[in-house]
Amino acid sequence: MTTEPLILGIETSCDETGVGIVRGQTLLADAIASSVEEHARFGGVVPEVASRAHLEAMVPTIRRACETAGIQPSDVDAVAVTSGPGLAGALLVGVAAAKGLALSLDKPIYGVNHLAAHVAVDTLEHGDLPKGCVAMLVSGGHSSLLAVEDITEGVVPMGSTIDDAAGEAFDKVARVLGLPFPGGPWIDKAARDGGDRLYVTFPRGLTSQRDLERHRFDFSFSGLKTAVARWVEAKRRDGEDVPVNHVAAAFQEAVCDVLTRKAIDACKDRGFEHLLIGGGVAANSRLRAMAEERAAAAGIAVRVPRPGLCTDNGAMVAALGSELVRAGKSPSPLDLPADSSMPITEVLN
């Protein structure tokens, strides 16, 4: 009989209602209800629409996860939920649902950090995290470099975006190129469909010697996004066709170049031999390939969860909850808040 904890995790930080069930480091269910199509016509996530979608999807998604895992809600040992960071209204729905579930089942609740969960989800695929690694988290809202020695004790921020996150830049450039929302998968596809990444050289933000003195591990993609928009506008103004595949490939190359260059530098700075990549942009094929190539040259091992675990999901929340329970960490109070600006240094609310 297993003694590993059975954890149900709830994720509602943005536009996807995720419910995951994990036993120890084994994934039993990962149910997701996405409202992305409801936001597509607006070209971005509308907080009020996301919150309403979470309300409607919560109970059916919990039921689906339990059915997939072959358990009853009363079987779980604890409930974990994303309490921040994220959209305030969306977080409130998830936290309220988790509180109600935990209270009705008389189970402990763990309010966890969304970003730390993106790190912990790798345990479901590759087992225990290394005793010392750099985690690069890249998504629509975050581009961060974190030093991680023990995920249950917290992480040390090394750098983050000072303006647009990588995923946000992908969405905005996709809009400029007439590609659908969300932009990341479509730009990746366009680049792979005959795109020449050397067709045009777009700027690499915060990589000059002067910038590196102050922002060695920080990111900036606002200037890159603007450079692409101006290049495209100039072509259209001159009556020329815009080579979407080439522009997508060149833009993607600029983003991945900066991300991987700084990630490898961070590993060297800390003396860590492992790089973990998480977040929605971690599903990008060029980012994965470039990271593997540069890491191998530097003697660094790369850990990246499969694409389905990189985007927001309940499995990652359950995974972090499981690590906290296994480490003997005390649960959160039942009145834990939804904290839209929860700092990465706080793994547990």
Side-chain angles (χ1 to χ4, degrees), residues 22-114:
V22 166
R23 186 181 294 280
Q25 294 180 341
T26 301
L27 178 60
L28 303 181
D30 184 22
I32 295 176
S34 177
S35 62
V36 66
E37 292 185 2
E38 298 178 47
H39 304 281
R41 63 193 180 99
F42 301 106
V45 176
V46 180
E48 293 82 0
V49 173
S51 299
R52 173 58 62 180
H54 289 312
L55 279 171
E56 296 172 349
M58 184 58 65
V59 172
T61 308
I62 291 175
R63 285 177 177 163
R64 181 154 49 94
C66 289
E67 289 172 1
T68 300
I71 68 161
Q72 296 296 321
S74 57
D75 295 331
V76 304
D77 295 305
V79 176
V81 61
T82 297
S83 59
L87 300 175
L91 289 169
L92 280 169
V93 176
V95 170
K99 287 179 179 179
L101 189 60
L103 184 62
S104 66
L105 299 175
D106 193 25
K107 303 292 183 178
I109 186 171
Y110 290 79
V112 305
N113 189 296
H114 175 83

Side-chain angles (χ1 to χ4, degrees), residues 11 120 157 182 315:
E11 154 64 20

Side-chain angles (χ1 to χ4, degrees), residues 320-331:
L320 181 52
S322 179
E323 294 302 303
L324 291 166
V325 172
R326 294 169 78 217
K329 298 298 181 182
S330 299

Side-chain angles (χ1 to χ4, degrees), residues 164-283:
D164 288 358
E168 183 180 0
F170 269 94
D171 289 339
K172 291 179 177 178
V173 168
R175 192 182 312 163
V176 168
L177 295 176
L179 297 174
F181 173 86
W186 292 98
I187 285 182
D188 193 6
K189 182 180 184 302
R192 284 186 280 111
D193 290 346
D196 179 2
R197 55 180 180 263
L198 302 180
Y199 184 82
V200 57
T201 301
F202 289 120
R204 272 69 167 160
L206 299 184
T207 57
S208 70
Q209 189 57 46
R210 181 177 178 181
D211 287 329
L212 290 175
E213 291 174 2
R214 295 181 56 208
H215 298 285
R216 181 178 175 185
F217 300 122
D218 291 326
F219 300 103
S220 171
F221 296 108
S222 179
L224 169 60
K225 170 204 67 181
T226 301
V228 175
R230 288 178 176 171
W231 192 92
V232 170
E233 289 169 3
K235 286 290 182 182
R236 289 172 175 161
R237 187 171 56 246
D238 294 339
E240 300 179 30
D241 291 334
V242 175
V244 173
N245 291 14
H246 295 335
V247 175
F251 160 74
Q252 180 173 269
E253 188 73 5
V255 173
C256 296
D257 180 21
V258 173
L259 288 172
T260 56
R261 190 189 311 182
K262 295 204 173 198
I264 298 300
D265 186 29
C267 289
K268 292 178 178 178
D269 180 72
R270 287 278 169 165
F272 291 160
E273 297 179 350
H274 292 84
L275 170 64
L276 189 153
I277 306 176
V281 181

